[in-house]
Amino acid sequence: GPKVLQIPSHQIIDMGQMVTLNCDPVSNHLYFYWYKQILGQQMEFLVNFYNGKVMEKSKLFKDQFSVERPDGSYFTLKIQPTALEDSAVYFCASSQYGEQFFGPGTRLTVL
Amino acid sequence: AQSVTQPDARVTVSEGASLQLRCKYSYSGTPYLFWYVQYPRQGLQLLLKYYSGDPVVQGVNGFEAEFSKSNSSFHLRKASVHWSDSAVYFCVLKNNNAGAKLTFGGGTRLTVRP
């Protein structure tokens, strides 16, 4: 089936540094999402994105977070600066109009 | 506001036994409902989805779910589980707008004893 790719699979950084998580969505998809999973359990919505704009963001999407997809390339999540509580697995997803397809996740560890 | 509750955080069954994982949702409109499965250190895979019509929907690997509007439920079932079904299962809700966010239940960790 359709594949969403995420790069890198694991990132370790020091608190206060900037990090960019990359997502390569399914090629003909129109909507893009980031979700955050803490402790291997609760999956929570961060943000969705369509036509170059953020549609909706949750309260977890702090001011230090930003997303973009310049010229149809990677859909990125940038965190600047990072905090300890940003340690989690971040999942990217994409969809046309219905089912969302998920990537394998990026495990972010903030020291 | 919309929410999903999975009352059982952990379920353990023996291989070959039947399975039901419970899911209750809260949403004022017509929900789109999904069950996703997550294997260790992997992303999420869609098991099945309900948009409308027949309340019993079939999914992959012998899973099915039944939508009940009166009970606000979408329970997942399987007649006979296999050890490879051990994973975390998420019940998920979405409204019917394109591009809308998914709202996840807390997940149920299923362990199948050989």
Side-chain angles (χ1 to χ4, degrees):
Chain A
K3 295 280 189 190
V4 175
L5 305 176
Q6 290 188 241
I7 302 162
S9 58
H10 197 167
Q11 181 89 48
I12 301 173
I13 58 171
D14 291 323
M15 183 177 61
Q17 284 190 312
M18 181 196 76
V19 67
T20 300
L21 309 183
N22 298 292
C23 172
D24 187 9
V26 178
S27 61
N28 60 345
H29 283 184
L30 305 173
Y31 299 90
F32 312 104
Y33 315 79
W34 284 103
Y35 293 86
K36 180 179 181 181
Q37 187 177 39
I38 301 170
L39 296 177
Q41 283 292 328
Q42 187 69 43
M43 183 80 75
E44 301 212 58
F45 167 78
L46 283 177
V47 66
N48 52 2
F49 190 85
Y50 169 73
N51 199 25
K53 298 176 187 172
V54 169
M55 294 173 63
E56 182 182 359
K57 52 188 179 182
S58 73
K59 60 179 184 284
L60 295 178
F61 194 81
K62 303 178 295 184
D63 291 343
Q64 298 90 328
F65 288 36
S66 62
V67 290
E68 63 176 357
R69 191 181 187 223
D71 300 324
S73 60
Y74 287 155
F75 176 50
T76 63
L77 173 65
K78 182 187 291 186
I79 309 174
Q80 181 179 28
T82 51
L84 294 176
E85 61 265 26
D86 297 330
S87 293
V89 181
Y90 291 83
F91 288 94
C92 171
S94 69
S95 70
Q96 278 198 319
Y97 302 106
E99 177 187 346
Q100 293 182 22
F101 291 83
F102 284 79
T106 293
R107 181 177 297 275
L108 176 65
T109 302
V110 182
L111 302 176
Chain B
Q2 55 195 56
S3 66
V4 179
T5 301
Q6 294 178 246
D8 305 307
R10 294 179 180 270
V11 170
T12 300
V13 297
S14 297
E15 194 167 26
S18 63
L19 173 71
Q20 176 171 277
L21 301 183
R22 295 183 293 164
C23 171
K24 300 273 284 185
Y25 68 89
S26 175
Y27 182 60
S28 56
T30 302
Y32 287 1
L33 293 160
F34 308 83
W35 277 96
Y36 280 86
V37 61
Q38 184 178 34
Y39 297 101
R41 294 174 297 281
Q42 294 187 27
L44 286 86
Q45 300 171 30
L46 182 69
L47 279 179
L48 47 78
K49 59 190 175 191
Y50 173 80
Y51 289 168
S52 65
D54 188 338
V56 178
V57 290
Q58 304 296 322
V60 299
N61 296 334
F63 285 95
E64 68 174 28
E66 183 167 5
F67 169 69
S68 171
K69 187 171 182 178
S70 60
N71 293 326
S72 298
S73 67
F74 190 56
H75 301 329
L76 181 71
R77 301 190 296 241
K78 187 171 184 179
S80 176
V81 296
H82 186 263
W83 64 266
S84 60
D85 293 324
S86 295
V88 179
Y89 292 79
F90 291 98
C91 182
V92 180
L93 178 149
K94 175 187 172 298
N95 69 37
N96 58 6
N97 294 326
K101 66 182 179 186
L102 299 182
T103 298
F104 285 78
T108 298
R109 182 175 297 277
L110 173 66
T111 301
V112 179
R113 291 191 300 247

